[in-house]
């Protein structure tokens, strides 16, 4: 179970949330339930918020937290043991520790693995050394760990038990002051898109262009019958109209795949790409009035390599 994401650098908070949104949109499995989001502010203060259900879109995050340059999240299925903060602990002016599988499980000395890393950081250990030491002493524990220290350095790793799994993913990149790590298991992606969340998150951190784009759906979106499928977006990336050749489109539908996988996306007469995911919604009077799946109201676009008009 679980996905753990950590980032440091400009827009770190937005970066980890973007990665989680994209994972919940494209992936199936242990995601979209409980979530813990945490940041460390410039003053070193740790802030956390949690949800038991709904994943990223159910987190109530104050806007000022989004300015943090150190952030982490953990997410899996719903209804996990309280307090949820045990899955992503933090210590003021020390660091944050997220991970996947069961990073809160007691280790050989009876101390939760994530807290053991935090305490090593508190005593001045380098972040990767702290991770390696805890994992080496607890090789058969079911855990992977990611830690950020107060300087924005990130360390990560899996125990030997987790390394033997066939469903784990670990993606990492660092460039100047930008660092990003994503680790997960038991999450399965559509059309080999497991790198899309990382690509989108890295774009948030560095401004480098991703091959993907997150599109938002508002409840004012028109849903029209047409001869062919087509999605229109405005300059901000919000979907403003959906045209579909689906013969089952009705003026009022309780449940319909309003945005279909593979739909072309157009902006001001330019083909931008094709939809990789789907959005199931409720239709009323020719408008999408409610997003049923995904509840975030987001879909992922794969951009055209060569844009044509």
């Amino acid at each position: 179970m679980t996905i753990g994401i950590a980032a440091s650098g400009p827009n770190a908070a937005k970066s980890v949330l973007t990665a989680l949104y994209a994972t919940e949109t494209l992936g199936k499995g242990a995601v979209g339930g409980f979530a813990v989001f945490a940041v460390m502010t410039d003053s070193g203060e740790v802030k956390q918020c949690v949800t038991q259900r709904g994943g990223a879109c159910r987190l109530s995050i104050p806007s000022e937290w989004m300015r943090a340059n150190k952030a982490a999240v953990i997410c899996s299925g719903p209804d996990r043991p309280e307090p949820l903060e045990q899955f992503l602990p933090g210590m003021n002016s020390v660091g944050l520790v997220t991970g996947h599988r069961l990073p809160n499980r007691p280790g050989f000395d009876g101390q939760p693995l994530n807290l053991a890393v935090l305490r090593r950081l508190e005593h001045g250990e380098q972040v990767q050394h702290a991770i390696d030491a805890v994992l080496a002493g607890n090789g058969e524990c079911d855990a992977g760990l990611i830690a950020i220290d107060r300087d924005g350095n990130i360390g990560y790793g899996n125990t030997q038990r987790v390394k033997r799994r066939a469903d784990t993913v670990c993606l990492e990149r660092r460039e100047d002051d930008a660092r990003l790590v994503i680790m997960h298991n038991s999450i399965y992606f559509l059309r080999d898109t497991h790198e899309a969340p990382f690509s989108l998150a890295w774009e948030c951190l560095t401004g480098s262009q991703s091959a993907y784009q997150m599109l938002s759906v508002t409840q004012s979106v028109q849903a029209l019958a047409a001869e062919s499928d087509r999605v229109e977006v405005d300059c901000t990336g919000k979907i403003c109209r959906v045209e579909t050749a689906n013969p089952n489109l009705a003026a009022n539908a309780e449940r319909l795949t309003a945005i279909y996988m593979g739909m072309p996306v157009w902006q001001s007469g330019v083909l931008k790409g094709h939809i990789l995911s789907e959005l199931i919604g409720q239709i009323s009077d020719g408008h999408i009035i409610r997003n049923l799946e995904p509840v975030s109201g987001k879909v992922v676009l794969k951009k055209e390599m060569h844009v044509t008009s």
Side-chain angles (χ1 to χ4, degrees):
M1 62 166 223
T2 66
I3 180 170
I5 307 167
S8 64
N11 296 316
K14 181 181 178 182
S15 176
V16 300
L17 290 173
T18 295
L20 184 54
Y21 272 127
T23 299
E24 291 173 344
T25 301
L26 293 169
K28 302 295 181 183
V31 71
F34 102 90
V36 184
F37 173 74
V39 300
M40 181 180 287
T41 67
D42 289 344
S43 65
E45 188 175 4
V46 171
K47 304 284 190 180
Q48 296 165 297
C49 62
V50 305
T51 184
Q52 279 283 19
R53 288 177 171 265
C57 67
R58 291 289 185 259
L59 290 166
S60 298
I61 303 171
S63 58
E64 60 268 22
W65 293 15
M66 299 304 293
R67 296 192 292 269
N69 60 11
K70 291 177 281 292
V73 71
I74 188 169
C75 182
S76 189
D79 303 325
R80 298 303 162 96
E82 300 278 358
L84 294 179
E85 290 85 352
Q86 69 181 295
F87 296 98
L88 201 173
M91 190 180 298
N92 291 341
S93 298
V94 173
L96 306 168
V97 183
T98 183
H100 73 139
R101 298 304 298 165
L102 297 162
N104 63 316
R105 283 296 197 228
F108 183 76
D109 61 358
Q111 183 177 209
L113 300 182
N114 47 20
L115 289 181
V117 171
L118 264 183
R119 287 176 179 140
R120 284 177 173 268
L121 296 181
E122 185 183 20
H123 288 97
E125 283 194 33
Q126 188 267 342
V127 64
Q128 189 62 55
H129 183 274
I131 290 282
D132 291 343
V134 170
L135 294 176
N138 298 279
E140 289 305 313
C141 284
D142 190 8
L145 301 169
I146 312 171
I148 312 176
D149 69 14
R150 60 189 174 192
D151 296 320
N153 301 305
I154 298 181
Y156 64 97
N158 288 313
T159 62
Q160 291 301 314
R161 172 173 289 276
V162 174
K163 287 180 180 179
R164 294 196 295 267
R165 295 177 63 90
D167 65 347
T168 58
V169 171
C170 180
L171 300 171
E172 181 269 344
R173 190 171 178 182
R174 63 187 66 196
E175 185 177 294
D176 299 326
D177 61 347
R179 299 173 180 87
L180 175 66
V181 177
I182 299 177
M183 298 172 68
H184 64 76
N185 66 93
S186 303
I187 300 174
Y188 307 96
F189 283 85
L190 300 169
R191 292 188 175 182
D192 300 320
T193 57
H194 70 277
E195 291 187 356
F198 190 93
S199 176
L200 288 162
W202 188 249
E203 182 180 53
C204 289
L205 276 178
T206 65
S208 61
Q209 290 297 306
S210 172
Y212 305 89
Q213 184 178 351
M214 293 287 291
L215 303 178
S216 300
V217 183
T218 67
Q219 292 189 355
S220 61
V221 174
Q222 285 184 302
L224 305 175
E227 293 184 359
S228 60
D229 289 351
R230 183 185 181 101
V231 174
E232 289 281 349
V233 298
D234 64 19
C235 61
T236 67
K238 290 183 179 178
I239 294 174
C240 52
R241 187 170 73 253
V242 176
E243 300 177 4
T244 178
N246 185 344
N248 296 316
L249 178 70
N252 296 283
E254 290 294 321
R255 186 178 181 89
L256 183 77
T257 305
I259 297 178
Y260 202 78
M261 185 182 295
M263 274 187 167
V265 177
W266 292 81
Q267 182 184 72
S268 301
V270 176
L271 177 64
K272 305 299 289 185
H274 292 78
I275 298 293
L276 288 178
S277 56
E278 294 188 328
L279 185 135
I280 299 172
Q282 182 179 346
I283 310 296
S284 179
D285 296 326
H287 288 78
I288 302 173
I289 64 166
R290 184 183 175 203
N291 305 317
L292 303 178
E293 298 175 24
V295 293
S296 63
K298 297 181 184 296
V299 292
V300 176
L301 160 73
K302 176 66 179 293
K303 296 177 183 176
E304 287 291 292
M305 293 300 293
H306 304 285
V307 176
T308 59
S309 59

